[in-house]
Amino acid sequence: MTLTAFPPLAPGSTIGVLGGGQLGRMMAMAAARLGFDVAVLDPEPDAPAHRLAAEAIVAAYDDPAALTRLASLADVITFEFENVPAAALELLTSQGAPVAPNGRALAIAQDRLDEKRFLNDAGAPTVAFAEVNGPADIRAALEKLGRPLLIKTRRGGYDGKGQVWIEHTEEAEAVFAEIGARPAIAEAPADFRRELSVVAARGRDGEIALYPLAENHHEGGILRRTAAPAQVGPRVLAQAERIAATLLAALDYVGVLAVELFERDDGRLLVNEFAPRVHNSGHWTLDGCEVDQFEQHIRAIAGWPLGPTHPIARVEMTNLIGAEVGEWARLAAEPETRLWLYGKAEARPSRKMGHVNRLTPLRG
Ligand code: AMP
């Protein structure tokens, strides 16, 4: 059954979420605001979203009994975690459970090579790239695309993991070993001036809403800071809007989608990747927009009208990574700072433990 065949979900309905991390937790908070319950499936018993869920299913993502339970409870199912096995969504769909966004969007986003090919076919520009299945392919890519190149595993990488720069042909064997000798992609450098992202949503009826662009700063491959709305000219804005609208339509997408962009010196935008879910670079909307990305996602998948995306403040969002979360008392005392903590017990290095949104009034 297609999603559009369902009437809008009434308050009191249950939203199933695959993945119980902070994104699932903030989705659950938004769902509660609109009168929905959530059922969460995550293998970790103390996952951040489990504690907010009406039903916490502690099981592997490919556990057929757990997926059947989720399908029986939920009126619509979504995911907050990109590495959900595609087979899990197929099993849910085969049981008649509506899933949004659809499995195709997830499958494409899970494979960097398929994703780049899809983006180019859809008319969204990317860096030049080549398929890599061994050191010989890396050597050929260095010949064809120039140097340096960034070698990324096709699947499973996130936050800069599984990525290595290569400059010299002689390093091909070592670099391929370093990424785990797995199928990979070679990418030309993006030569970007800034990293931007656009968070957009598409409703079940095809209605589209876009948030203002965000400017993102990474450290060690992890998002550190987002400033939004980003200062961008009309040309950049028009490109971002066209890219987001094209992808939402090409994927027949329902829900929130994030597109990571590189802005080059000449003002051209390239797409780095898209995330078929709510996104860290959209956390500023929690305090900076009338309806935030989490509520927008719930509205979209529930078949409700999309909410307004106007900014109501300028926001600088900073992730609290690892031990930084220990600063919570000082941060909570800052008057223009909104503190979001994810309820994770152990502050391991590189782990996203929370974020702060620092607000300033919009100019003009
Ligand atoms: P990704 O995992 O693809 O989102 O990459 C993580 C970060 O690595 C990006 O946010 C960029 O800062 C950087 N990066 C990724 N791809 C490229 C590229 N082709 N050229 C330059 N920097 C890149």
Side-chain angles (χ1 to χ4, degrees), residues 112 115-116 127-128 150 152 157-161 163 165 187-192 195 218 221-222 260 262 272-273:
R112 292 182 191 281
E115 184 181 29
K116 287 262 179 342
V127 292
L150 186 54
K152 302 178 176 177
Y158 65 96
D159 284 348
K161 294 188 177 72
Q163 307 194 4
W165 284 99
E187 291 187 15
D191 289 332
F192 56 87
E195 289 192 75
H218 293 82
I222 301 180
E260 297 181 17
F262 297 123
N272 177 26
E273 61 181 3

Side-chain angles (χ1 to χ4, degrees), residues 273-330:
E273 61 181 3
F274 70 85
R277 54 171 170 78
V278 288
H279 195 254
N280 196 167
S281 73
H283 289 1
W284 73 277
T285 64
L286 284 162
D287 299 300
C289 291
E290 290 184 10
V291 164
D292 66 69
Q293 63 164 349
F294 299 97
E295 180 177 333
Q296 194 75 295
H297 184 67
I298 299 296
R299 281 172 173 253
I301 65 171
W304 285 29
L306 299 181
T309 52
H310 313 298
I312 52 174
R314 285 192 59 75
V315 179
E316 185 169 283
M317 188 286 309
T318 306
N319 276 332
L320 300 175
I321 296 168
E324 289 165 3
V325 72
E327 294 294 306
W328 61 267
R330 181 180 63 75

Side-chain angles (χ1 to χ4, degrees), residues 141-316:
L142 285 165
E143 279 299 309
K144 184 164 163 245
L145 305 177
R147 55 200 70 209
L149 293 178
L150 186 54
I151 312 300
K152 302 178 176 177
T153 54
R154 281 176 67 166
R155 306 180 72 88
Y158 65 96
D159 284 348
K161 294 188 177 72
Q163 307 194 4
V164 184
W165 284 99
I166 182 165
E167 181 86 45
H168 305 290
T169 314
E170 312 78 69
E171 297 162 350
E173 301 273 351
V175 163
F176 191 64
E178 196 177 336
I179 58 152
R182 288 185 291 160
I185 179 172
E187 291 187 15
D191 289 332
F192 56 87
R193 172 166 67 181
R194 288 194 293 179
E195 289 192 75
L196 302 169
S197 59
V198 58
V199 173
R202 187 165 176 267
R204 282 196 198 174
D205 58 358
E207 179 194 4
I208 282 178
L210 271 81
Y211 286 98
L213 298 199
E215 179 175 338
N216 302 312
H217 299 269
H218 293 82
E219 277 172 24
I222 301 180
L223 182 66
R224 180 80 204 149
R225 220 159 29 84
T226 293
Q231 307 287 324
V232 291
R235 220 184 115 222
V236 166
L237 188 61
Q239 290 176 76
E241 286 176 354
R242 187 188 60 77
I243 288 168
T246 302
L247 298 187
L248 288 168
L251 293 166
D252 192 18
Y253 199 89
V254 173
V256 163
L257 170 91
V259 190
E260 297 181 17
L261 301 162
F262 297 123
E263 182 190 17
R264 292 162 28 125
D265 279 334
D266 62 6
R268 272 188 66 214
L269 293 184
L270 300 179
V271 178
N272 177 26
E273 61 181 3
F274 70 85
R277 54 171 170 78
V278 288
H279 195 254
N280 196 167
S281 73
H283 289 1
W284 73 277
T285 64
L286 284 162
D287 299 300
C289 291
E290 290 184 10
V291 164
D292 66 69
Q293 63 164 349
F294 299 97
E295 180 177 333
Q296 194 75 295
H297 184 67
I298 299 296
R299 281 172 173 253
I301 65 171
W304 285 29
L306 299 181
T309 52
H310 313 298
I312 52 174
R314 285 192 59 75
V315 179
E316 185 169 283

Side-chain angles (χ1 to χ4, degrees), residues 85-96 99 103 107:
L89 293 197
E90 278 159 28
L91 193 146
L92 291 167
T93 308
S94 73
Q95 302 203 352
V99 176

Side-chain angles (χ1 to χ4, degrees), residues 63-139:
D63 178 332
L67 291 166
T68 302
R69 170 101 186 115
L70 186 67
S72 72
L73 287 168
D75 298 289
V76 67
I77 295 172
T78 190
F79 47 88
E80 59 103 55
F81 169 64
E82 226 154 301
N83 292 322
V84 171
L89 293 197
E90 278 159 28
L91 193 146
L92 291 167
T93 308
S94 73
Q95 302 203 352
V99 176
N102 60 58
R104 179 169 165 256
L106 178 70
I108 294 171
Q110 283 177 342
D111 184 316
R112 292 182 191 281
L113 185 65
D114 291 349
E115 184 181 29
K116 287 262 179 342
R117 286 177 172 153
F118 164 79
L119 287 165
N120 284 186
D121 289 349
T126 66
V127 292
F129 61 92
E131 180 172 357
V132 168
N133 292 309
D137 293 329
I138 297 182
R139 286 190 286 270

